[in-house]
Amino acid sequence: MPPSTRRPSPPRQLNEAAQLADQLQAGYTKRDIARIINRDPSLVSQFYTKNKGAAFVPALTHVLTAVHTAGITDTNELAALAAPHITRRTTTSGNRARVRTKAVLITPTGTGTGRVGAQAIASGSTRLRPLIAEAARQNLRLAFTVRLAKTGYLHASGSRTDSPGIRRDVIQRADHTEERSYGSAATGGFDATDFARRVDAAGGDVTAAVHQWLAESGRINPDAHINHLEVRTWRPR
């Protein structure tokens, strides 16, 4: 029998959102595009793999026009331009569709942990905001660990004026950064409700709220840059 010959499948036609994203990728990454439309980068990938993104076509079109005709390149400016053009999708009945979000995991004892690295820090560590908000709702206590350049701290490692004066809460790294923990179950930690207010006052920017507290309390230089951030919660006894 002659060998069967399969015809190659025709290339898949990209939807409009993917085509617009392709044009933007001449100067921006998928992560940049996600930041502009205020969504997760995985959604941008789904423009190509799962035919999603119809709700973002007006915003992406507006952004592309701003880039090509007005010469606007800053992602924050483009995000501000895109925001009014992003609408929530609707169900068949015409109601707004619910947006699936990641659950905030806090155990019955109140224990919860959230960590962010350099990329999330740059966008305000927003993934930590739901954890802090839920901790405030449950009247939990809160502690956090920051990592920044050694030169950014105003007090020596283990200083009682800084963290609790306990060296085991300080981790020095080879890249000349240092991790320091603030608050613990032993010292009582911080009121999550108060911290949630700080985050709200900073427009939801957790990084800015933590930085402001550290600077105001005389622990870091005002121009110090946080590289990593961890938040921990627990229920007070």
Side-chain angles (χ1 to χ4, degrees):
M1 292 179 62
S4 59
T5 55
R6 275 190 178 181
R7 293 184 179 179
S9 301
R12 185 174 179 178
Q13 182 67 34
L14 295 179
N15 66 20
E16 192 172 0
Q19 291 177 33
L20 291 166
D22 263 358
Q23 293 179 61
L24 281 171
Q25 283 184 71
Y28 300 92
T29 64
K30 286 182 181 178
R31 187 173 294 277
D32 291 331
I33 296 169
R35 189 175 295 119
I36 289 168
I37 62 174
N38 194 27
R39 293 298 187 274
D40 192 89
S42 63
L43 178 61
V44 178
S45 296
Q46 290 175 23
F47 292 177
Y48 301 85
T49 59
K50 296 187 178 180
N51 204 35
K52 293 189 177 182
F56 301 97
V57 167
L60 291 170
T61 301
H62 196 73
V63 166
L64 200 59
T65 301
V67 170
H68 288 165
T69 62
I72 298 173
T73 57
D74 182 76
T75 54
N76 291 328
E77 289 186 50
L78 293 174
L81 290 171
H85 301 275
I86 297 173
T87 56
R88 289 266 296 276
R89 62 186 178 83
T90 57
T91 62
T92 52
S93 61
N95 296 321
R96 277 190 169 189
R98 289 183 299 175
V99 174
R100 284 176 289 183
T101 57
K102 292 182 180 178
V104 176
L105 180 60
I106 292 181
T107 69
T109 61
T111 303
T113 304
R115 300 181 183 88
V116 292
Q119 291 180 329
I121 290 284
S123 58
S125 309
T126 52
R127 72 179 67 169
L128 295 179
R129 190 181 188 186
L131 176 68
I132 295 169
E134 181 62 15
R137 190 186 71 80
Q138 295 190 33
N139 294 316
L140 303 180
R141 304 299 290 178
L142 178 150
F144 58 90
T145 297
V146 297
R147 179 178 169 188
L148 49 92
K150 292 179 186 178
T151 54
Y153 294 103
L154 294 177
H155 303 285
S157 302
S159 165
R160 291 187 179 277
T161 311
D162 187 37
S163 30
I166 304 173
R167 280 190 177 274
R168 69 171 177 268
D169 287 337
V170 175
I171 300 175
Q172 297 183 346
R173 299 188 174 272
D175 62 355
H176 304 294
T177 62
E178 191 169 280
E179 286 185 10
R180 297 192 185 185
S181 295
Y182 297 92
S184 67
T187 62
F190 305 100
D191 180 3
T193 304
D194 177 64
F195 217 84
R197 290 196 195 101
R198 285 180 171 273
V199 172
D200 291 342
D205 191 322
V206 179
T207 310
V210 171
H211 189 283
Q212 183 178 24
W213 182 85
L214 290 168
E216 284 179 353
S217 59
R219 287 172 165 84
I220 65 170
N221 289 312
D223 58 350
H225 176 71
I226 296 174
N227 295 328
H228 293 268
L229 176 62
E230 176 185 305
V231 173
R232 301 175 300 283
T233 67
W234 67 91
R235 194 175 304 284
R237 294 178 180 177

